[in-house]
Amino acid sequence: MQLYQNQNLKIYNSLSGEKELFTPIHEGNVGMYVCGPTVYSNVHLGNCRTFISFDLIYRYLKHLGYKVRYVRNITDVGHLVDDEDDGEDKIAKKARIDQIEPMEVVQKYTVDFHQILELFNNLTPSIEPTATGHIIEQIEIIKQIIDNGFAYVVNGSVYFDVVKFNESHHYGILSGRNIDDMIANTRDLDGQSDKKNPQDFALWKNAEPQHIMRWPSPWGDGFPGWHLECTAMSTKYLGEKFDIHGGGMDLKFPHHECEIAQNEACTGHSPVNYWMHANMLTLNGKKMAKSTGNNILPRELFSGENTVLSKAFSPAVARFFILQAHYRSILDFSDEAILASEKGFNRLMEAIDALGNIQPEATSTLDINQWKQACYDAMNDDFNSPILIAQLFEAVRYINLVKDGKESLNAADLEQFKKAIKAFVFDVLGLKNEKADDAENGKLEGVINMLIGMRNEARANKNFALSDQIRDQLIALGIQLKDGKEGTSFSLN
């Protein structure tokens, strides 16, 4: 029996504005799509909060025993994403400034994105498709929307007819806006005068001669609209109807609103059962954004090379700080706040280390099952990580009581306690015990240096067979030795 069969998980659905019992379309299987980054610059901490939040969700679904297909895209195609870009997309703009190819920009910042999330101990998604890899699928969706009467072609561009769509559907169902609201929020795209209505959005844009990123289409050379890529990739890998679609709160309108409209215009039905949105990270009380300069990059946080913090903080502490707030609440980042998180994180890890040294007694005076269910109840309540962390500090209190001889655990309860702590701290929250990792790395380094010493002694005694055997067996384990003037060093492959 899988854990999910005994747990009632509730998810806050942005579409209904309520917590709803999670029932996947296919029992035991979950399809989840999360909007990934536009790779034109280094990912900042505010972006990372969204991806860490959905990593928590992914981890918990897997922990419950669901088979999860997690799709998170890379936006690597030229499109207009901010009014102030004056008709030039961010990737092409960066390529022009740096005098490199757009795909060099994409490669550089995609690698950075992956490295940063790996440092945060995020799991990799099941599929990570790119927008440029799905141009054909996007063109096919546009054709279907045109055939269904919800889009029109003007001067090589294709626009979604919001007014026509709204006659038979509800454009604004996710964000709660109406047509009048959208007039004021329409993006100022090139060819604005080509539109029937100012609130219409581009499905395909005609490429001007100077536009670098362009593809052939039935309407001429151009590039897809921003909203279209996620519609194409989510439905290709998860089906026309899937379980969860997530992203940052700032994507609710217009991006996700337009996704719903595109899907309904193409297939006749809404694509997603549960819409989830992670809230923003502020910095010293102000919105964190690249455009304003009020942001901090993860590497600046890890190195301490910034003007915001008093010291450097590890990725695990930063992750713990982020998870101490519920994913739907605004979280303010400050030196004082993360210093407090570091103290709490260290206290938790010290207790886990102490738990490993506790010896079982004949009887138990603590109810571990009740505590464990309280942890599940927290996560079942819309992935409430701060309440889970509060329960983990209750466990810290238990550990200290047992360590001081004031409470006791029998062998079975102690084993269950250790297993549950490991599951919630490391598997679900995705934290790492860095001191324990450092200690293990220190032991490994010590063993390798001992073997290097034995090899050097063998070489000095002209026992080359033993020397080569040590070297070859280390290589087989992924440890490369390098002999130099100053002695022998090693690297882990």
Side-chain angles (χ1 to χ4, degrees):
M1 180 179 288
Q2 300 290 358
L3 281 172
Y4 64 78
Q5 293 174 310
N6 292 327
Q7 304 295 334
N8 291 320
L9 172 62
K10 288 189 175 181
I11 294 177
Y12 181 87
N13 191 346
S14 298
L15 198 60
S16 66
E18 296 178 352
K19 291 178 188 176
E20 300 176 4
L21 186 66
F22 178 62
T23 306
I25 295 168
H26 303 289
E27 186 180 348
N29 293 270
V30 178
M32 181 170 78
Y33 184 89
V34 173
C35 293
T38 301
V39 282
Y40 71 95
S41 66
N42 297 108
V43 62
H44 70 64
L45 199 59
N47 305 134
C48 292
R49 186 198 179 184
T50 294
F51 301 121
I52 289 170
S53 295
F54 283 99
D55 184 63
L56 170 76
I57 290 162
Y58 180 37
R59 284 172 173 275
Y60 187 60
L61 290 170
K62 284 167 66 75
H63 172 75
L64 289 180
Y66 286 111
K67 184 179 180 182
V68 186
R69 178 175 289 176
Y70 175 20
V71 183
R72 186 186 66 213
N73 71 300
I74 294 287
T75 295
D76 64 343
V77 59
H79 56 63
L80 316 179
V81 288
D82 270 343
D83 295 345
E84 62 264 24
D85 275 350
D86 297 322
E88 186 173 19
D89 70 82
K90 290 186 173 183
I91 291 171
K93 186 176 182 178
K94 180 69 173 174
R96 178 177 54 77
I97 291 169
D98 291 354
Q99 295 185 317
I100 57 177
E101 284 287 327
M103 281 301 148
E104 288 183 79
V105 174
V106 165
Q107 178 70 7
K108 176 181 178 180
Y109 294 114
T110 300
V111 169
D112 173 73
F113 173 67
H114 288 151
Q115 289 175 343
I116 293 298
L117 290 196
E118 185 176 354
L119 288 171
F120 276 122
N121 203 31
N122 274 28
L123 300 176
T124 56
S126 315
I127 304 172
E128 191 174 56
T130 62
T132 54
H134 297 77
I135 299 295
I136 292 171
E137 289 86 350
Q138 294 178 71
I139 288 172
E140 290 304 310
I141 289 172
I142 295 170
K143 286 180 183 176
Q144 189 62 56
I145 294 174
I146 291 172
D147 289 347
N148 291 348
F150 295 113
Y152 55 92
V153 183
V154 182
N155 297 329
S157 294
V158 184
Y159 295 100
F160 190 93
D161 193 333
V162 170
V163 172
K164 178 70 179 297
F165 176 80
N166 204 54
E167 290 172 0
S168 53
H169 298 75
H170 183 187
Y171 185 70
I173 190 169
L174 180 65
S175 61
R177 303 186 184 211
N178 57 44
I179 293 292
D180 292 334
D181 293 330
M182 288 159 210
I183 292 172
N185 286 283
T186 301
R187 294 173 181 272
D188 184 19
L189 301 175
D190 274 354
Q192 180 88 352
S193 59
D194 289 341
K195 297 180 182 183
K196 289 182 182 178
N197 314 289
Q199 61 269 35
D200 294 349
F201 57 89
L203 297 173
W204 187 265
K205 284 290 292 176
N206 178 49
E208 298 296 329
Q210 70 275 16
H211 198 94
I212 306 172
M213 301 181 82
R214 57 202 299 139
W215 291 266
S217 81
W219 317 285
D221 281 6
F223 53 95
W226 171 32
H227 314 303
L228 192 63
E229 61 179 277
C230 288
T231 294
M233 290 184 279
S234 62
T235 54
K236 174 170 182 174
Y237 297 109
L238 299 175
E240 290 184 357
K241 188 84 172 178
F242 57 94
D243 299 299
I244 298 170
H245 192 315
M249 195 75 77
D250 57 322
L251 297 180
K252 185 184 288 189
F253 182 87
H255 186 52
H256 291 160
E257 196 73 75
C258 293
E259 277 194 65
I260 292 173
Q262 288 166 163
N263 273 280
E264 290 186 355
C266 183
T267 66
H269 59 76
S270 183
V272 180
N273 283 345
Y274 303 87
W275 284 91
M276 301 182 69
H277 293 93
N279 217 323
M280 72 174 73
L281 183 69
T282 58
L283 178 58
N284 292 322
K286 296 179 182 177
K287 183 180 178 181
M288 192 179 290
K290 297 171 189 171
S291 57
T292 63
N294 188 55
N295 74 84
I296 183 168
L297 298 177
R299 292 189 199 279
E300 295 171 343
L301 168 67
F302 306 151
S303 68
E305 295 173 3
N306 60 79
T307 58
V308 179
L309 304 173
S310 59
K311 61 187 283 293
F313 294 91
S314 71
V317 167
R319 183 182 178 100
F320 183 67
F321 166 77
I322 286 169
L323 295 176
Q324 280 186 291
H326 190 269
Y327 77 90
R328 285 193 290 114
S329 65
I330 293 174
L331 173 60
D332 189 52
F333 183 85
S334 68
D335 189 54
E336 184 181 7
I338 195 166
L339 277 168
S341 282
E342 185 178 52
K343 288 179 182 176
F345 175 82
N346 290 336
R347 190 167 146 239
L348 178 61
M349 294 303 153
E350 286 163 7
I352 291 171
D353 289 341
L355 181 62
N357 298 320
I358 288 174
Q359 297 301 312
E361 301 289 342
T363 59
S364 290
T365 58
L366 293 171
D367 188 341
I368 297 306
N369 282 320
Q370 186 179 8
W371 169 80
K372 190 165 76 169
Q373 189 55 50
C375 292
Y376 279 111
D377 290 344
M379 288 302 291
N380 290 339
D381 184 17
D382 192 33
F383 309 98
N384 201 323
S385 57
I387 300 298
L388 171 60
I389 289 170
Q391 289 298 332
L392 290 173
F393 279 108
E394 187 67 9
V396 170
R397 189 177 70 84
Y398 289 175
I399 291 167
N400 290 331
L401 288 170
V402 173
K403 191 172 67 171
D404 294 342
K406 295 175 182 176
E407 300 284 357
S408 63
L409 290 170
N410 63 31
D413 284 351
L414 180 60
E415 187 59 32
Q416 185 185 188
F417 196 27
K418 288 179 179 178
K419 188 176 178 182
I421 287 272
K422 177 183 178 296
F424 287 114
V425 173
F426 303 121
D427 298 343
V428 175
L429 291 178
L431 300 175
K432 291 181 77 173
N433 190 342
E434 292 163 325
K435 288 182 180 177
D437 289 348
D438 289 344
E440 289 301 315
N441 290 336
K443 290 177 186 176
L444 175 62
E445 186 175 347
V447 170
I448 295 171
N449 285 328
M450 180 182 71
L451 289 168
I452 289 172
M454 292 170 63
R455 178 172 173 263
N456 289 339
E457 187 178 343
R459 292 169 77 184
N461 294 331
K462 300 189 184 305
N463 187 350
F464 298 114
L466 177 58
S467 168
D468 291 346
Q469 182 184 5
I470 292 170
R471 181 200 62 203
D472 293 344
Q473 288 188 354
L474 285 172
I475 288 172
L477 294 169
I479 301 165
Q480 185 78 42
L481 298 184
K482 185 176 181 180
D483 296 316
K485 291 180 180 179
E486 297 180 1
T488 303
S489 60
F490 70 90
S491 60
L492 303 178
N493 296 333

